[in-house]
Amino acid sequence: MHSVEAKSILSASNGMNVYRGCSHGCIYCDARSSCYHTPVPFEDIEVKANAPLLLDRALSRKRKQCMIGTGAMSDPYIPLEETLCITKKCLEVIERHGFGLAIQTKSDLILRDTQLLCAINRKAKCVVQMTLTTYDEYLSRIIEPAVCTTKRRIAVLDAMHSLGIPTIVWLSPILPFINDTMENIQPILDACVQCGVKGIICFGMGLTLREGNREYFYDALDKHFPGMKKRYVQEFGSAYEVPSHNTTQLMTYFHQFCKEHRILHTPESCFAYMKEFSPQLSLF
């Protein structure tokens, strides 16, 4: 870990990342890609210690309230957050200024901040996004080794639903020859219905690989799935897009299932919902 004094915190699209790098160890992580210029090693977390102050200044200057996004490039609830509380301080700033929030994580540490999330949701809108890729607990521990398992994340979704906080699930990535099966997708979708999720983002059954994350992914395949790297190299070469052979079947089922249960199921509809700012008007 190393701290930096950032010069700015919000992107042009009102997104932010208070940390750079991650310690979750997910074998497929696209954020490891060299093009993002993240810390090397990736586990040497860059901490934007002045993020809450920068955010306070940025929101004070905005003429109109909007949704603030976080978690797209680095999980805001990595283990360091438990003691540093930088994400929590940023949520306090967002709540105080009356802005909305769309926050993405894989960690149950987000439950620590439910009071803040509810307060934001009362004033505007708070959307919690959770990534689900692998229903089987043993396989989940291999693919996403240093973060809570899928069943725990489902419990977080259920808790948010009970609090009236809308949720979006990222069903991505799905790894060819590993978890691209109906036996994996079906129970995840069933859980989404049980937890009352608003939408599911799925760009297709497969993953993307490029310089940086490809090497890390292949090393993990060698370690945990003997012979799988060779199969990937033979099948996909150095392609950026790595689609599952089961894409047509699984995506057809996915869309039909979501339509039946009235769940948003295109990236465009999910992103539009998360971008829409909804201030809550007082009755008095």
Side-chain angles (χ1 to χ4, degrees):
M1 169 195 132
H2 63 282
S3 294
V4 298
E5 290 291 308
K7 295 182 179 179
S8 62
I9 191 63
L10 283 183
S11 70
S13 58
N14 297 308
M16 67 175 183
N17 288 287
V18 302
Y19 303 107
R20 295 182 74 235
C22 188
S23 54
H24 288 339
C26 303
I27 69 172
Y28 51 72
C29 183
D30 177 68
R32 289 181 180 272
S33 299
S34 301
C35 61
Y36 297 126
H37 306 291
T38 47
V40 179
F42 193 59
E43 291 73 17
D44 179 19
I45 312 299
E46 179 181 286
V47 178
K48 298 177 183 178
N50 60 336
L53 176 61
L54 291 175
L55 182 62
D56 186 52
R57 291 174 178 171
L59 298 189
S60 296
R61 291 193 298 264
K62 283 191 174 291
R63 295 181 179 179
K64 293 178 62 177
Q65 293 162 318
C66 62
M67 297 292 288
I68 305 299
T70 188
M73 283 298 297
S74 183
D75 197 313
Y77 286 103
I78 57 176
L80 281 173
E81 168 62 21
E82 188 167 7
T83 53
L84 297 180
C85 295
I86 297 178
T87 294
K88 183 177 183 178
K89 293 173 184 175
C90 287
L91 298 189
E92 291 170 348
V93 172
I94 290 170
E95 191 276 333
R96 186 168 67 252
H97 285 278
F99 280 67
L101 173 70
I103 187 167
Q104 182 179 353
T105 185
K106 293 176 185 170
S107 174
D108 56 355
L109 180 56
I110 194 172
L111 292 173
R112 180 199 65 187
D113 295 337
T114 51
Q115 287 188 338
L116 272 170
L117 300 174
C118 287
I120 293 170
N121 201 44
R122 283 194 297 269
K123 285 186 177 181
K125 181 169 73 176
C126 176
V127 183
V128 170
Q129 305 160 71
M130 187 68 70
T131 300
L132 305 179
T133 69
T134 309
Y135 192 78
D136 178 82
E137 294 287 273
Y138 175 76
L139 187 57
S140 174
R141 272 284 170 241
I142 294 174
I143 292 174
E144 300 154 334
V147 68
C148 64
T149 61
T150 298
K151 289 183 180 178
R152 181 59 179 159
R153 284 177 246 168
I154 290 171
V156 172
L157 290 169
D158 194 45
M160 295 300 167
H161 181 61
S162 69
L163 293 169
I165 296 174
T167 56
I168 298 285
V169 162
W170 287 71
L171 184 62
S172 174
I174 302 299
L175 311 183
F177 316 126
I178 295 175
N179 62 356
D180 60 335
T181 64
M182 188 66 74
E183 290 75 17
N184 179 50
I185 302 301
Q186 179 69 69
I188 292 177
L189 294 179
D190 288 341
C192 288
V193 172
Q194 293 166 10
C195 295
V197 304
K198 179 71 176 181
I200 304 174
I201 296 173
C202 182
F203 292 100
M205 301 295 164
L207 77 159
T208 57
L209 294 175
R210 49 188 161 189
E211 182 184 356
N213 77 316
R214 179 184 290 108
E215 292 80 2
Y216 188 85
F217 179 68
Y218 279 170
D219 285 345
L221 292 186
D222 273 340
K223 180 178 179 181
H224 299 292
F225 306 96
M228 189 63 73
K229 174 183 174 180
K230 181 179 179 181
R231 188 173 184 182
Y232 266 70
V233 172
Q234 291 176 340
E235 187 76 23
F236 306 112
S238 58
Y240 168 63
E241 295 186 352
V242 181
S244 165
H245 288 183
N246 301 327
T247 289
T248 300
Q249 174 198 6
L250 294 177
M251 289 303 293
T252 298
Y253 180 78
F254 165 71
H255 288 300
Q256 290 175 343
F257 182 94
C258 290
K259 287 179 182 178
E260 178 182 345
H261 294 281
R262 298 182 180 180
I263 297 173
L264 298 176
H265 55 96
T266 65
E268 295 79 10
S269 61
C270 291
F271 289 135
Y273 173 74
M274 289 190 285
K275 187 176 180 180
E276 181 186 13
F277 178 71
S278 303
Q280 301 301 313
L281 300 178
S282 172
L283 297 176
F284 304 98

